[in-house]
Amino acid sequence: MLKRASQLFLPRLINTRPISTTIIMSEAKQEHPKQHSSHKKKSKLQVSLKTPKGTKDWADSDMVIREAIFNTLSSLFKRHGGVTIDTPVFELREILAGKYGEDSKLIYNLEDQGGELTSLRYDLTVPFARFVAMNNIQNIKRYHIAKVYRRDQPAMTKGRMREFYQCDFDVAGTYESMVPDAECLSVAVEGLTALGIKDFKIKLNHRKILDGIFQISGVKDEDVRKISSAVDKLDKSPWDVVKKEITEEKGQSEETANKIGEYVKLNGSLKEVHAILSQDEKITGNDLAKQGLDDIATLLQYTSAFGIDEYISFDLSLARGLDYYTGLIYEVVTAASAPPENATELKKKAKDKDEDASEYVGVGSIAAGGRYDNLVNMFAEASGKKSVKIPCVGISFGVERLFSIIKQRTELTAAVKPTATQVFVMAFGGGKDWAGYLPERMQVTKGLWNAGIEAEYVYKAKANPRKQFDAAEKAGCPLAVILGKEEYLEGKLRVKRLGPEFADDDGELIDKKDLIDVVKTKLSEIHEDGINEVARLLRGL
């Protein structure tokens, strides 16, 4: 009976497609008591069942993968001494105002709520600085995993969305120069390699070096930030396009733009670029640039100690458009970060340029961060608190962008099942006296739960073999524990591997008391090297 049932009813893959649905709601006809001859016309209200632009629902195996990313990163943050916090999803509008440069236009502003103007948080950094200032915290290592919101053009398949998760690790407090900065860079490397991403580079620059270059080139102090925003586009646009923006849109001279161009095209290893800049008398003669060079010289010792030099590229074109950065800045890129070579052509051909930009943009940076020493003090002074400088530095991982890269490991992704179920408890029998062993299945399942083993059973008293095998396949579990009508009365259970390749295998008959040990042994054999499908996916094995 068992062999035949497993052959006939071993699960078949079920493919489902999302269905776009429209609900039509009709108001019933109503008659006014005094107007029997006139009837109100039917009115119809159409509701499209879709998520807002730039957002999506997450379910099934995608959620399993995302949860594994969160767990990997939160474990990393804890290893580095991080404590977690949470802040409101919206902040007072004045808290966010003026912190993001040209990107401030992407903030979601909310309606007036009882006299308070609020906005959805744009990132997790500004709320953290507000939290530190508000609570008079002198030092903290914190991590925060939460959603942020940006009214940007989405590119859904590239992980560029309007609602997305960030995973941040920040260090606030006064410490030896560049020590927290180096640790944040190490956190970036550890986090990405733990997710199986190896072909990445940390593009690094120093805000003081960049500001020194602008001063040397003749940019006025009040124009520095808008020129930074233009230079920051060099990862997406060629120098000719950026130069045109600097001169025609930002009002700088041709000479100034050319001087900037001489520097921002420079990139290489930390040691190489530091050596080149150290021999430049204009750079060493500028106070700001010299401070930045000294920081890089110190940083070189620590990145070498952490063994992460091979991942770092000193790139003077990196500017990071956010206004609050004061020192070291960095962002992590991969081959998938850049847009396609024919991006301009693809953009022209795109049918709806406002809907989704996936065809002609890249993933962008998958992690980024830097030093922001004045942000906490800015909040403290604005609120009338005692002025105190709390230096800060941090790194932020973009989960949606990481997810889009991990999903490209198609074979490994296909092996990930939507549930964590490892064992399906079944019962086979028949005859007039057969009740289905439902309480008995529940009892066996409870024993597995108590042992920390993920298990399920069919919620039906008399479930036929096919329904049980179908349910086991849908759960994606690799093992079945079977209660045979006669075998169970003799204190026996059957443990069977599931899957087409085991159709002819009746499984192993064991004593009830040995169930937990046998199941654990078989599960360890199933997961090669003790690693399950999700762990194999994240590690790229």
Side-chain angles (χ1 to χ4, degrees), residues 379-446:
F379 284 131
E381 287 184 339
S383 64
K385 288 180 177 285
K386 182 181 178 182
S387 178
V388 55
K389 189 172 183 179
I390 306 293
C392 301
V393 63
I395 179 73
S396 176
F397 296 86
V399 172
E400 272 64 40
R401 298 183 183 191
L402 293 172
F403 177 83
S404 72
I405 292 174
I406 291 170
K407 279 281 283 186
Q408 292 173 18
R409 304 167 195 164
T410 50
E411 288 187 13
L412 292 171
T413 302
V416 176
K417 51 195 178 65
T419 69
T421 308
Q422 299 294 311
V423 180
F424 211 93
V425 179
M426 307 179 181
F428 296 158
K432 293 182 179 179
D433 61 338
W434 174 241
Y437 275 167
L438 179 56
E440 290 81 359
R441 278 183 280 144
M442 295 170 75
Q443 187 178 41
V444 170
T445 305
K446 177 65 172 175

Side-chain angles (χ1 to χ4, degrees), residues 453-467:
I453 299 168
E454 298 90 344
E456 285 189 79
Y457 59 95
V458 171
Y459 289 6
K460 188 174 182 181
K462 294 166 82 170
N464 66 42
R466 175 177 178 171
K467 288 189 179 297

Side-chain angles (χ1 to χ4, degrees), residues 309-327:
D309 282 334
E310 65 179 291
Y311 296 102
I312 299 174
S313 171
F314 194 171
D315 192 328
L316 293 185
S317 71
L318 179 67
R320 303 281 291 140
L322 305 181
D323 282 357
Y324 51 66
Y325 287 123
T326 58

Side-chain angles (χ1 to χ4, degrees), residues 177-178 181 204-213 215 270 273-275 277-278 282-300 314 316 326-329 371:
S177 174
M178 306 311 290
D181 307 67
L204 178 148
N205 201 358
H206 199 294
R207 209 65 184 265
K208 289 182 179 179
I209 293 176
L210 193 60
D211 288 353
I213 289 170
Q215 286 184 354
L270 270 178
V273 177
H274 179 267
L277 293 178
S278 297
K282 293 178 182 176
I283 293 289
T284 56
N286 180 277
D287 288 341
L288 278 176
K290 183 64 169 62
Q291 290 174 37
L293 273 183
D294 291 344
D295 281 348
I296 298 296
T298 304
L299 180 69
L300 272 164
F314 194 171
L316 293 185
T326 58
L328 205 67
I329 50 177
R371 175 162 286 282

